[in-house]
Amino acid sequence: MNYMDPFNSFFNMKELELEPEGDLIARRLSDMQGMYQQEDNVAGNPKIYEYYNVRLPEIPGHLQHCVTVISPGKIGKEYHMTKGHYHEVEETAEIYFTIQGRGKLVMQTKEGDSKVLDMEEGMISYIPPYWSHRTINTGEEPLVFVGVYPGNAGHNYGDIEERGMKKLVVEEDGQPKVIDNPD
Ligand code: S6P
Ligand code: ZN
């Protein structure tokens, strides 16, 4: 039997960096074209979020885990958010553990049901099989959370890239509000 050695990763809460780094993926506004309602007239190409994947085999039995950091800010009225995805293997679930900041977790099924959960320090959110998921930073500091999901889950971005999500999170009178997507 070829055993993998157990190992630790360390998330540096001051630098907001994973050690050792693993795979670091940064998403800027240009990586999310068409996902925000008002993306024109935004100065520059702001970094919206980044996430660190611990490198693991993409096979059943393993548990992928990664840390996402969404910077605070808005594009038009919409708060900074992730692209959102279904898992390629749709019957795989995920757990998000929020370690800093405040936000919303928007989920949707292919039948069109939507659910929105609050994210705040200490919250453990369960994303059951079949629900697509997107996270939104509604606070003034970085929103930081750990995601844990099956090794073979994979990611399907296409559906949300093409059709968006039914619920948007916008700022109204200084407060986050969940609204229906007008498109
Ligand atoms: C992976 C998990 C997260 C996201 C990350 C970025 O299954 O849900 O690690 O990958 O939050 O979001 P997205 O939608 O760009 O992958
Ligand atoms: Zn996921």
Side-chain angles (χ1 to χ4, degrees):
M1 178 76 95
N2 247 344
Y3 290 105
M4 177 189 270
D5 282 335
F7 62 93
N8 276 334
S9 306
F10 176 73
F11 191 71
N12 184 326
M13 290 299 297
K14 265 203 195 124
E15 307 294 333
L16 298 183
E17 281 171 6
L18 187 71
E19 299 164 10
E21 189 179 81
D23 294 317
L24 171 61
I25 295 127
R27 300 242 206 255
R28 297 185 168 274
L29 184 58
S30 59
D31 300 311
M32 303 180 73
Q33 271 176 21
M35 292 196 145
Y36 289 97
Q37 300 279 300
Q38 297 163 275
E39 62 188 22
D40 303 334
N41 307 322
V42 175
N45 183 18
K47 189 176 359 160
I48 311 287
Y49 64 102
E50 55 190 19
Y51 59 103
Y52 296 86
N53 278 324
V54 175
R55 242 174 249 140
L56 283 165
E58 294 181 1
I59 53 175
H62 281 285
L63 289 172
Q64 306 290 344
H65 49 289
C66 58
V67 188
T68 303
V69 179
I70 309 179
S71 60
K74 282 179 298 161
I75 304 296
K77 284 174 131 191
E78 280 177 280
Y79 295 97
H80 283 183
M81 62 184 181
T82 58
K83 289 177 77 162
H85 58 268
Y86 288 90
H87 288 165
E88 212 166 279
V89 179
E90 292 182 355
E91 61 270 23
T92 54
E94 182 154 1
I95 285 170
Y96 280 172
F97 178 39
T98 305
I99 52 180
Q100 185 191 293
R102 175 172 291 277
K104 301 271 186 206
L105 167 55
V106 175
M107 289 161 286
Q108 186 176 312
T109 65
K110 289 202 166 149
E111 279 71 33
D113 291 331
S114 291
K115 282 277 181 286
V116 183
L117 294 177
D118 289 327
M119 298 176 81
E120 58 185 54
E121 203 178 306
M123 203 74 96
I124 303 167
S125 308
Y126 186 57
I127 304 162
Y130 302 105
W131 289 83
S132 59
H133 36 288
R134 164 181 280 166
T135 46
I136 295 132
N137 184 353
T138 58
E140 272 151 30
E141 58 174 342
L143 174 64
V144 185
F145 60 94
V146 181
V148 183
Y149 56 104
N152 59 324
H155 296 94
N156 158 12
Y157 290 101
D159 286 40
I160 292 175
E161 273 166 355
E162 281 155 34
R163 287 192 278 281
M165 290 188 88
K166 290 179 89 169
K167 300 288 178 191
L168 304 180
V169 184
V170 298
E171 188 189 73
E172 261 186 39
D173 304 322
Q175 293 297 317
K177 200 172 167 210
V178 180
I179 61 163
D180 289 327
N181 187 341
D183 298 335

